[in-house]
Amino acid sequence: MYQLDILKGRVAYISGGTSGINLGIAKGLSAYGAKVVVIGRNSEKAQAAAEEIRQHAGGEALAFSADVRDFGAVMATIEQTREHFGPPDIVIAGAAGNFPAPASNISANGFKTVMDIDLQGTFNVFRAAYEHCNKPGSSFIAITAEQAVKAMPFQSHVGAAKAGINMLVKDLALEWGREGIRVNCICPGPINDTEGMRRLAPTPEIEQMMKARISLGDLGDKEDIANAVVYLCSPLGRYITGTVLDVDGGCQLGDASMNRVPQMKKA
Ligand code: NAP
Ligand code: COA
């Protein structure tokens, strides 16, 4: 049976929560009773996201603007969260940037831009939240991607940044566990109706090829990621830290389209 107030009294801070997967996470956390704060660079987009969350779940939601590359700006939004709702105890580092490009076409600044948003941005969010979060009892979750563990053409910058995130959560989990902070990653597979998919699978043909390779044969939905976040940060996940939870339909297992290769006849 679902307990709809399982996160009642909790305060969630979600960087990059103003669109896509992270907005889905914010809606999920709100539906289960948390007060939520979403962060993005674009202030109007952020305010619209907060309104969408309030409409969706009828809960309390606020939006603040910050660029996760700017530690001072991130810290200011954590302080604003604390002032309005109390100390955050669910912290999602989801802001990311991606553009498909061969390494030979990525400038030093292009590579640094993605490293700074994804990896440094995750550190900035967790480090700032560490100062003000509830201890014990906080759950920090970074959003990674399969590029962290699987080489992929035109994704060298994203692979490097997300691999760094996978290791960062383990180190932080080890250091902060005794203070009652759990630190984990969720690794979404390809998710329907997201900017990430629009950039990496821009045509129906490419999307179809991607689906064919996934063990479960389909893309995931934003709710699939939200449900995993709710599980990890609720009391149900209280003994889980330092892990990467794949929510990807089995897409890291191998190429499921190979199932259709005809079997060799026995001699
Ligand atoms: P999205 O809709 O483009 O979401 C990106 C969010 O991050 C937006 O809210 C954006 O708002 C914010 N953002 C970007 N740069 C920022 C910065 N420098 N500072 C603060 N906020 C910033 O993307 P998505 O496709 O849903 O992806 C969300 C997360 O899931 C990412 O971590 C991505 O790597 C991961 N992921 C996605 C997929 C997929 O299928 N889409 C698969 C695996 C993993 P502003 O532009 O207003 O700043
Ligand atoms: N190919 C190669 N290089 C690219 C590029 C592309 N498609 N797009 C941007 N770059 C380079 C730029 O040329 C620039 O390098 P330079 O100064 O050497 O020319 C560098 O990346 C920074 O670009 P800029 O546009 O100034 O960065 P930004 O901070 O305004 O935006 C991005 C960051 C590029 C990641 C932008 O795509 C973004 O804001 N993305 C957020 C949404 C998103 O990516 N969603 C999917 C998440 S999975």
Side-chain angles (χ1 to χ4, degrees):
M1 190 201 282
Y2 295 110
Q3 194 184 335
L4 286 173
D5 61 356
I6 196 167
L7 301 179
K8 196 165 186 235
R10 308 280 299 273
V11 174
Y13 173 101
I14 302 134
S15 80
T18 63
S19 64
I21 290 176
N22 302 311
L23 175 54
I25 292 171
K27 286 179 177 174
L29 292 170
S30 174
Y32 282 92
K35 294 176 187 168
V36 302
V37 170
V38 290
I39 306 296
R41 289 166 299 176
N42 180 321
S43 166
E44 276 176 28
K45 181 178 158 187
Q47 293 305 334
E51 180 56 27
E52 198 175 322
I53 297 163
R54 289 190 287 265
Q55 296 289 333
H56 173 79
E60 292 183 69
L62 288 173
F64 303 123
S65 302
D67 189 318
V68 293
R69 290 169 283 191
D70 177 346
F71 180 77
V74 171
M75 182 58 103
T77 60
I78 292 278
E79 286 166 358
Q80 282 171 299
T81 300
R82 190 187 174 113
E83 274 162 32
H84 284 85
F85 285 157
D89 47 21
I90 297 169
V91 179
I92 314 293
N98 191 357
F99 51 82
S104 53
N105 272 359
I106 300 177
S107 67
N109 189 45
F111 191 85
K112 182 178 186 304
T113 296
V114 170
M115 292 296 285
D116 284 354
I117 300 173
D118 292 26
L119 180 54
Q120 184 71 49
T122 297
F123 179 81
N124 289 349
V125 166
F126 287 171
R127 181 66 185 83
Y130 171 83
E131 295 295 326
H132 291 287
C133 69
N134 258 329
K135 301 188 207 63
S138 281
S139 173
F140 290 8
I141 300 173
I143 306 300
T144 186
E146 64 172 319
Q147 288 90 323
V149 293
K150 198 160 136 192
M152 218 177 268
F154 310 148
Q155 290 287 277
S156 59
H157 46 342
V158 174
K162 295 292 195 184
I165 290 174
N166 285 20
M167 197 61 215
L168 177 66
V169 300
K170 289 182 199 297
D171 288 322
L172 298 183
L174 187 64
E175 288 194 23
W176 293 348
R178 292 293 169 89
E179 294 174 76
I181 302 175
R182 294 183 297 109
V183 191
N184 291 290
C185 267
I186 285 181
C187 181
I191 301 300
N192 265 313
D193 186 26
T194 59
E195 185 57 29
M197 277 300 285
R198 282 186 279 279
R199 291 181 184 218
L200 295 182
T203 68
E205 292 74 30
I206 300 177
E207 186 176 309
Q208 213 41 53
M209 268 169 49
M210 232 182 218
K211 272 188 196 171
R213 298 166 73 97
I214 301 172
S215 175
L216 293 184
D218 206 354
L219 305 182
D221 292 327
K222 291 165 211 157
E223 292 76 16
D224 295 318
I225 310 305
N227 290 339
V229 168
V230 170
Y231 163 64
L232 269 187
C233 67
S234 78
L236 299 174
R238 64 166 214 102
Y239 203 50
I240 303 173
T241 197
T243 61
V244 178
L245 175 56
D246 298 322
V247 186
D248 68 352
C251 76
Q252 283 177 48
L253 300 174
D255 183 352
S257 66
M258 297 299 279
N259 285 337
R260 297 195 199 95
V261 173
Q263 300 295 303
M264 266 208 301
K265 285 207 179 101
K266 280 187 187 149

